[in-house]
Amino acid sequence: MLKYIELKSGQNDQGPAWIARVKLSKSGRTVYFNGKALKRSDGQGISANYFDLETGEEYWVSGVKKNGQDRHWAGAGIVWIESGVVAEYLKIIGADKIDECRLKVIADLPETEVEKFRNLENTRLT
Protein backbone atom coordinates (compact mmCIF):
# COMPACT_ATOMS: atom_id res chain seq x y z
CA MET A 1 0.00 0.00 0.00
CA LEU A 2 1.41 3.40 -1.00
CA LYS A 3 1.28 6.27 1.47
CA TYR A 4 2.52 9.82 1.79
CA ILE A 5 4.38 10.28 5.09
CA GLU A 6 5.70 13.60 6.43
CA LEU A 7 7.52 14.37 9.67
CA LYS A 8 5.61 17.20 11.38
CA SER A 9 7.35 17.61 14.77
CA GLY A 10 9.12 20.99 14.76
CA GLN A 11 9.06 21.27 10.97
CA ASN A 12 6.40 23.90 10.07
CA ASP A 13 5.17 21.88 7.07
CA GLN A 14 8.74 21.71 5.71
CA GLY A 15 9.71 18.33 7.19
CA PRO A 16 11.18 15.39 5.36
CA ALA A 17 8.54 13.54 3.38
CA TRP A 18 8.30 10.22 1.58
CA ILE A 19 6.09 8.30 -0.80
CA ALA A 20 6.64 4.72 0.18
CA ARG A 21 5.15 1.30 0.56
CA VAL A 22 3.89 0.66 4.10
CA LYS A 23 2.32 -2.18 6.04
CA LEU A 24 -0.74 -1.73 8.23
CA SER A 25 -1.61 -3.48 11.46
CA LYS A 26 -4.71 -5.69 11.48
CA SER A 27 -6.72 -2.86 13.04
CA GLY A 28 -5.32 -0.32 10.56
CA ARG A 29 -4.38 1.98 13.45
CA THR A 30 -0.61 1.43 13.10
CA VAL A 31 1.44 2.12 9.98
CA TYR A 32 4.78 0.32 9.69
CA PHE A 33 7.27 2.42 7.73
CA ASN A 34 11.06 2.71 7.49
CA GLY A 35 11.77 0.75 10.68
CA LYS A 36 9.12 2.71 12.59
CA ALA A 37 5.66 2.05 13.95
CA LEU A 38 3.40 5.06 13.54
CA LYS A 39 0.27 4.90 15.70
CA ARG A 40 -2.96 6.76 14.91
CA SER A 41 -3.23 9.76 17.26
CA ASP A 42 -7.03 10.19 17.20
CA GLY A 43 -6.83 13.94 16.60
CA GLN A 44 -4.59 14.73 19.56
CA GLY A 45 -1.76 16.18 17.46
CA ILE A 46 -1.86 19.75 16.20
CA SER A 47 -0.92 19.09 12.58
CA ALA A 48 -0.31 15.35 12.65
CA ASN A 49 -2.46 12.25 12.63
CA TYR A 50 0.13 9.66 13.72
CA PHE A 51 2.98 9.48 16.24
CA ASP A 52 6.11 7.34 16.40
CA LEU A 53 5.70 4.70 19.13
CA GLU A 54 9.35 4.95 20.16
CA THR A 55 10.15 8.69 19.88
CA GLY A 56 6.73 10.36 20.09
CA GLU A 57 7.50 12.41 16.97
CA GLU A 58 4.40 13.40 15.05
CA TYR A 59 3.78 12.46 11.42
CA TRP A 60 1.15 13.13 8.77
CA VAL A 61 0.19 9.95 6.90
CA SER A 62 -2.24 9.88 4.00
CA GLY A 63 -2.92 8.19 0.72
CA VAL A 64 -1.17 9.68 -2.29
CA LYS A 65 -3.16 12.29 -4.15
CA LYS A 66 -4.09 11.71 -7.77
CA ASN A 67 -3.03 15.27 -8.65
CA GLY A 68 0.46 14.63 -7.23
CA GLN A 69 0.21 17.54 -4.76
CA ASP A 70 0.82 15.63 -1.55
CA ARG A 71 2.58 18.32 0.51
CA HIS A 72 0.56 20.70 2.69
CA TRP A 73 -0.30 23.86 0.72
CA ALA A 74 1.97 25.89 3.05
CA GLY A 75 4.79 23.34 2.91
CA ALA A 76 7.82 23.02 0.70
CA GLY A 77 10.67 20.70 -0.02
CA ILE A 78 11.51 17.63 -2.04
CA VAL A 79 9.51 14.45 -1.39
CA TRP A 80 11.53 11.25 -1.48
CA ILE A 81 9.97 8.33 -3.34
CA GLU A 82 11.14 4.74 -3.10
CA SER A 83 12.47 3.40 -6.40
CA GLY A 84 10.30 0.29 -6.08
CA VAL A 85 7.04 2.28 -6.09
CA VAL A 86 7.71 4.74 -8.92
CA ALA A 87 5.77 2.84 -11.60
CA GLU A 88 2.75 2.37 -9.32
CA TYR A 89 2.84 6.05 -8.27
CA LEU A 90 3.03 7.26 -11.88
CA LYS A 91 0.02 5.11 -12.73
CA ILE A 92 -1.97 6.59 -9.82
CA ILE A 93 -1.23 10.18 -10.85
CA GLY A 94 -1.51 9.49 -14.59
CA ALA A 95 1.99 10.67 -15.46
CA ASP A 96 4.78 9.29 -17.64
CA LYS A 97 7.75 10.45 -15.59
CA ILE A 98 8.73 11.80 -12.18
CA ASP A 99 8.59 15.56 -11.66
CA GLU A 100 12.18 16.06 -10.51
CA CYS A 101 11.35 19.52 -9.12
CA ARG A 102 9.13 17.86 -6.50
CA LEU A 103 10.35 14.28 -6.16
CA LYS A 104 13.67 12.52 -5.70
CA VAL A 105 13.93 8.77 -6.25
CA ILE A 106 15.73 6.98 -3.42
CA ALA A 107 16.56 3.36 -2.61
CA ASP A 108 13.75 1.36 -1.03
CA LEU A 109 13.56 1.96 2.72
CA PRO A 110 14.09 -0.85 5.25
CA GLU A 111 11.05 -2.82 6.35
CA THR A 112 9.86 -2.54 9.93
CA GLU A 113 10.26 -5.44 12.34
CA VAL A 114 6.54 -5.64 13.10
CA GLU A 115 6.96 -8.24 15.85
CA LYS A 116 9.20 -5.87 17.82
CA PHE A 117 6.40 -3.30 18.03
CA ARG A 118 3.70 -5.88 18.70
CA ASN A 119 5.72 -7.04 21.67
CA LEU A 120 6.30 -3.45 22.81
CA GLU A 121 2.58 -2.64 22.74
CA ASN A 122 1.51 -5.91 24.32
CA THR A 123 3.98 -5.88 27.21
CA ARG A 124 2.19 -5.52 30.54
CA LEU A 125 3.10 -2.55 32.66
CA THR A 126 4.30 -3.53 36.13
Side-chain angles (χ1 to χ4, degrees), residues 21-85:
R21 188 166 316 285
V22 302
K23 290 182 181 178
L24 298 178
S25 64
K26 288 181 185 178
S27 69
R29 297 181 49 76
T30 305
V31 173
Y32 301 107
F33 156 76
N34 193 20
K36 302 177 182 307
L38 307 177
K39 186 84 169 183
R40 185 102 179 135
S41 65
D42 294 325
Q44 296 176 17
I46 294 172
S47 62
N49 57 356
Y50 285 79
F51 66 94
D52 185 315
L53 277 175
E54 290 183 304
T55 67
E57 289 182 309
E58 294 183 322
Y59 286 81
W60 179 261
V61 179
S62 66
V64 295
K65 294 183 179 165
K66 290 182 181 179
N67 66 5
Q69 302 297 313
D70 293 291
R71 275 231 184 244
H72 186 277
W73 63 267
I78 291 289
V79 175
W80 297 314
I81 182 170
E82 288 183 306
S83 61
V85 304

Side-chain angles (χ1 to χ4, degrees), residues 2 4-5 12 18 21 31 43 46 49 67-69 79 94 100 103 113 120:
L2 285 189
Y4 171 79
I5 303 107
N12 295 325
W18 303 262
R21 188 166 316 285
V31 173
I46 294 172
N49 57 356
N67 66 5
Q69 302 297 313
V79 175
E100 294 179 0
L103 299 166
E113 294 177 42
L120 178 68

